[in-house]
Amino acid sequence: MDSQLNINESDILKVFAVSGAILQSVLGMFLKHAHSHSDMALLAVIYTMVKYTAPVFIFAIVYGMVKGNQHTKPGHFYKEKFNELVIPYFLWATASLIFIPGVQVNRHATSFWTLIESYVVGNASPQYWYTVMMLQFQMLMPVLIYICYKFLSKPSRVIPLLAVSFIIFGAWLWMYDTYVFHGAYATSLRYLDRVFVSYFIYALLGGIAWVHKEQFDGILRRFQFILIPVMLLLLIWTNREFFSFGFEDMSFGNLIYLKPSMTLYSLVVIALIHMLAGHLIHKNSRALPFYKWLSTYAYRAFTANVFILYFVLKLFGGLVDQLPFFVALVLVYLTTISCSFCIVYAFAKAYAWIKRTFRKDELAVQADH
């Protein structure tokens, strides 16, 4: 079944990533509806649980890229990714800037140059920085292919490279925590959290997971029984860190990826989802076609979700505050994620129909001549 569907672990990883990312959007919007510390605590605990999305996205992207593009020419790859990634991002970011400018983050677009900055750094809406960061790894495709298939072709080089990489990444986390996160350079270096260096360790592991798949999967199987307990311990750690900021003016901006607790948590979650994905594929699960469909539209649904969430909240109106808090949260989330996938699917089908129609007209004109 997996060969017929052309499905692999990265597809299932993407589904978990986009589901978590959309939930993060909903949780962020619901902060203004939290009227008690218990409501805030609920949001915070759920948010820490799904604060794995960017690393999972990167791991999945590079895993799929390395798997399917060993012999692909960079020019062809970039053209394909421009249509697949850049155009949806530009269209949905533009829609957000026009119709819901109030959801912009950091510096708002007030001139031509700040408008360009908004696109480049992903300020048009919360979480568009994900797209900016992920596109950088797509641009690095030739480098990643070379590292994975040339340099790491000798298994003896994997452990030394990982050791050096984790040391460098640890130093980067220390620098960010000391000088950027609530530090002296919090404003001037605020966009470091969307530079590829801040997440390269997940990309490297994604490439290694495919090129040395048998060994990688074997290592995960050895530790499979301790992964869930470790994940729960790391969740306690991340929640203690977050709650130390208090409930006054609670901000999810205080829960960042670039610290040891979140890095370890993300790595454990990646391992768990990767193992689940491998199990589903090995067993030819009946859910595979569903995962494949979701993964096909995952990125587009992600780029649309904040825009759609805004109007979903408008649709619910005062009902959000009348319903029990958790019930309202679940309803808004399910509505948002369903509408996000359905709308981008409808757009994709409409675009395909228009494309076929013009192609038929073009062929008819050529036949007449």
Side-chain angles (χ1 to χ4, degrees):
M1 182 181 291
D2 55 324
S3 61
Q4 294 173 349
L5 285 173
N6 191 27
I7 191 171
N8 60 74
E9 288 86 348
S10 69
D11 293 306
I12 297 173
L13 282 155
K14 288 176 185 176
V15 173
F16 275 87
V18 74
S19 301
I22 294 176
L23 182 52
Q24 285 182 29
S25 298
V26 175
L27 294 168
M29 291 289 192
F30 259 71
L31 265 181
K32 65 183 70 172
H33 298 281
H35 302 302
S36 66
H37 286 178
S38 61
D39 290 344
M40 293 182 184
L42 174 66
L43 295 179
V45 170
I46 298 175
Y47 200 94
T48 55
M49 290 177 65
V50 296
K51 189 68 176 181
Y52 58 74
T53 50
V56 170
F57 262 130
I58 297 160
F59 181 94
I61 286 170
V62 176
Y63 183 95
M65 178 197 304
V66 172
K67 177 183 182 297
N69 294 283
Q70 181 182 3
H71 304 293
T72 303
K73 294 181 179 179
H76 177 77
F77 177 82
Y78 292 145
K79 181 180 178 181
E80 178 182 302
K81 294 305 173 184
F82 182 83
N83 294 326
E84 179 183 332
L85 305 177
V86 177
I87 291 179
Y89 166 65
F90 177 78
L91 293 176
W92 285 110
T94 301
S96 294
L97 286 168
I98 293 173
F99 296 105
I100 48 173
V103 302
Q104 293 176 82
V105 293
N106 295 319
R107 186 161 67 169
H108 286 207
T110 56
S111 65
F112 175 77
W113 291 113
T114 54
L115 176 65
I116 297 300
E117 177 187 339
S118 183
Y119 285 112
V120 172
V121 299
N123 282 346
S125 180
Q127 296 189 33
Y128 277 158
W129 69 271
Y130 274 52
T131 299
V132 171
M133 176 265 299
M134 289 187 287
L135 286 172
Q136 294 172 65
F137 287 100
Q138 305 284 3
M139 293 296 296
L140 290 170
M141 172 265 200
V143 176
L144 293 168
I145 293 294
Y146 175 82
I147 291 173
C148 292
Y149 282 108
K150 298 296 183 181
F151 182 78
L152 293 178
S153 58
K154 295 182 178 179
S156 59
R157 293 175 176 173
V158 174
I159 299 301
L161 178 61
L162 279 176
V164 172
S165 297
F166 270 104
I167 291 171
I168 294 172
F169 192 69
W172 185 265
L173 294 180
W174 174 84
M175 181 277 297
Y176 189 90
D177 184 57
T178 305
Y179 296 106
V180 182
F181 182 55
H182 295 314
Y185 301 97
T187 301
S188 58
L189 296 179
R190 63 179 172 226
Y191 295 130
L192 274 186
D193 66 346
R194 62 202 67 186
V195 176
F196 74 93
V197 180
S198 296
Y199 304 91
F200 79 90
I201 198 70
Y202 309 109
L204 179 61
L205 287 169
I208 291 172
W210 171 251
V211 174
H212 297 287
K213 180 172 173 54
E214 185 176 341
Q215 296 91 328
F216 185 85
D217 291 349
I219 291 172
L220 292 186
R221 283 194 293 271
R222 290 182 185 179
F223 296 97
Q224 61 183 326
F225 296 110
I226 67 168
L227 288 177
I228 291 180
V230 170
M231 182 191 72
L232 294 175
L233 290 173
L234 290 170
L235 271 176
I236 294 172
W237 182 10
T238 56
N239 276 282
R240 284 177 60 88
E241 288 182 334
F242 184 63
F243 285 122
S244 68
F245 290 97
F247 287 102
E248 296 300 322
D249 300 319
M250 178 183 278
S251 170
F252 290 142
N254 290 325
L255 187 62
I256 60 172
Y257 287 109
L258 302 183
K259 57 182 178 180
S261 57
M262 287 310 309
T263 299
L264 293 173
Y265 177 69
S266 298
L267 290 172
V268 172
V269 172
I270 286 171
L272 285 168
I273 300 174
H274 183 81
M275 290 181 64
L276 172 64
H279 175 75
L280 292 173
I281 292 172
H282 178 71
K283 295 295 185 181
N284 284 333
S285 170
R286 293 181 180 180
L288 289 181
F290 180 64
Y291 277 110
K292 184 61 181 179
W293 185 88
L294 289 174
S295 70
T296 302
Y297 299 99
Y299 173 79
R300 283 169 279 188
F302 167 74
T303 56
N305 88 90
V306 175
F307 182 83
I308 292 170
L309 171 59
Y310 178 83
F311 290 102
V312 167
L313 287 172
K314 289 287 186 182
L315 178 66
F316 274 80
L319 189 62
V320 170
D321 293 312
Q322 296 171 17
L323 291 170
F325 187 73
F326 183 72
V327 173
L329 176 64
V330 172
L331 286 176
V332 170
Y333 172 65
L334 292 178
T335 304
T336 301
I337 195 170
S338 300
C339 289
S340 296
F341 275 95
C342 289
I343 287 174
V344 298
Y345 174 74
F347 282 163
K349 288 299 181 182
Y351 174 74
W353 178 80
I354 293 170
K355 192 174 180 180
R356 285 196 306 270
T357 301
F358 275 97
R359 186 171 296 172
K360 287 179 182 178
D361 292 342
E362 183 180 344
L363 292 174
V365 170
Q366 291 176 356
D368 290 339
H369 292 287

